[in-house]
Amino acid sequence: MKMPTETRLAPLPQLALADTALIEHDYADSHSLADELAAAVANDLSDAIATRGRALLGLAGGTTPRQFLLRLGNKRLDWAKVDVTLVDERWVAEDDPRSNTRLLQETLFQGMARAARFTSLYTPLLQPENAEDIIAARIRSLALPYDVIVLGMGADGHVASLFPGGDNLARALDLGSDRLVTAMRAPGASEPRMSLTLSTLLAADSLYLHIEGRTKREVLAQALAPGAHAAQWPVRGLMQRRGEPGRIYWCP
């Protein structure tokens, strides 16, 4: 994969990245970050299509990835051979303003990526706890593991919907489990969620963490510092990745 051009910025608290499963790439602004991240992800997807015939992509919602999703959706590749899911979903109707599915419809699927096949993590009428088996079956029907996963991070250190204090956080972080998804309710979440588990995330061939803002960079430094724990800072669970290192894409 083509490595991005790096722009070093003013010093911030150091990340504890020596001998770990993460590599940091810093950018001067969100525009250059979005361009480079979209190019890297598109390259990974093209490689997966060439190797496996299809590619599987997991994306984060929220406010941070909007520029990246718009750019990725306009990349020239064989989108008809790409399966797309979210890494987590708020348990709201898919036309709700807070729905991550709606975010993809407004961004990624406005471009050439509209030809991709989307698999939802939401199902109406059921509570998320009663829909886990349904959603897990949908994910299991895809060509696992994920070729690419792009995560965001909250100001509390959560990734996907693995929230500190979440009712199902312990089982979501359990790398000995074969569980693909879990329902999650947490003090930091405004509504119930459905999330991929940590083991599902870590199994991806390419893993990216996209964060913006100095505050989140400082949170990440705390989470990755020696002595921190994934139960307090779920993003720290990414340090358990094996194989190709994950990549942190950050701008102020």
Side-chain angles (χ1 to χ4, degrees):
M1 185 184 74
K2 180 183 177 181
M3 297 300 291
T5 302
E6 298 184 37
T7 303
R8 304 309 302 179
L9 302 171
L12 283 169
Q14 292 296 304
L15 300 183
L17 296 178
D19 300 320
T20 71
L22 298 170
I23 297 172
E24 185 181 15
H25 304 288
D26 299 342
Y27 296 90
D29 54 63
S30 60
H31 298 289
S32 53
L33 185 157
D35 286 340
E36 293 286 354
L37 182 55
V41 169
N43 187 70
D44 288 342
L45 295 174
S46 293
D47 286 349
I49 292 169
T51 301
R52 299 206 298 161
R54 290 197 69 82
L56 179 55
L57 170 65
L59 295 168
T63 57
T64 299
R66 186 171 287 271
Q67 288 189 65
F68 154 67
L69 292 172
L70 286 167
R71 286 163 171 75
L72 179 61
N74 283 309
K75 289 295 183 183
R76 293 189 177 277
L77 58 97
D78 194 349
W79 282 105
K81 295 180 179 178
V82 179
D83 287 294
V84 178
T85 82
L86 290 154
V87 297
D88 68 323
E89 181 58 285
R90 297 165 171 139
W91 211 253
V92 297
E94 293 183 345
D95 60 355
D96 187 285
R98 287 183 56 76
S99 168
N100 288 335
T101 297
R102 177 169 169 169
L103 172 68
L104 294 190
Q105 296 294 346
E106 294 174 346
T107 55
L108 184 77
F109 298 137
Q110 291 296 307
M112 286 180 280
R114 67 173 61 91
R117 183 172 65 185
F118 177 66
T119 298
S120 175
L121 300 191
Y122 172 77
T123 188
L125 305 179
L126 295 175
Q127 291 298 308
E129 293 82 1
N130 298 325
E132 286 182 337
D133 289 345
I134 295 171
I135 304 303
R138 291 178 189 173
I139 300 301
R140 195 171 289 112
S141 72
L142 303 173
L144 294 170
Y146 282 80
D147 294 291
V148 186
I149 280 180
V150 185
L151 295 168
M153 185 196 74
D156 59 358
H158 80 265
V159 291
S161 281
L162 310 185
F163 281 87
D167 59 349
N168 289 322
L169 181 62
R171 75 179 190 182
L173 296 176
D174 181 6
L175 298 184
S177 171
D178 61 0
R179 186 181 297 273
L180 296 175
V181 300
T182 186
M184 190 72 68
R185 298 174 189 264
S190 301
E191 55 277 294
R193 311 284 184 105
M194 185 69 71
S195 179
L196 300 185
T197 61
L198 181 62
S199 59
T200 308
L201 299 173
L202 294 182
D205 288 342
S206 295
L207 181 69
Y208 296 90
L209 178 62
H210 173 192
I211 61 172
E212 298 187 8
R214 299 179 72 85
T215 298
K216 286 191 177 181
R217 174 62 170 69
E218 290 166 355
V219 167
L220 185 61
Q222 294 179 60
L224 301 187
H229 301 283
Q232 180 184 8
W233 306 100
V235 68
R236 186 177 177 84
L238 303 185
M239 300 281 276
Q240 300 176 72
R241 179 170 166 82
R242 298 293 180 263
E244 180 183 333
R247 293 178 173 83
I248 301 166
Y249 276 55
W250 175 77
C251 70

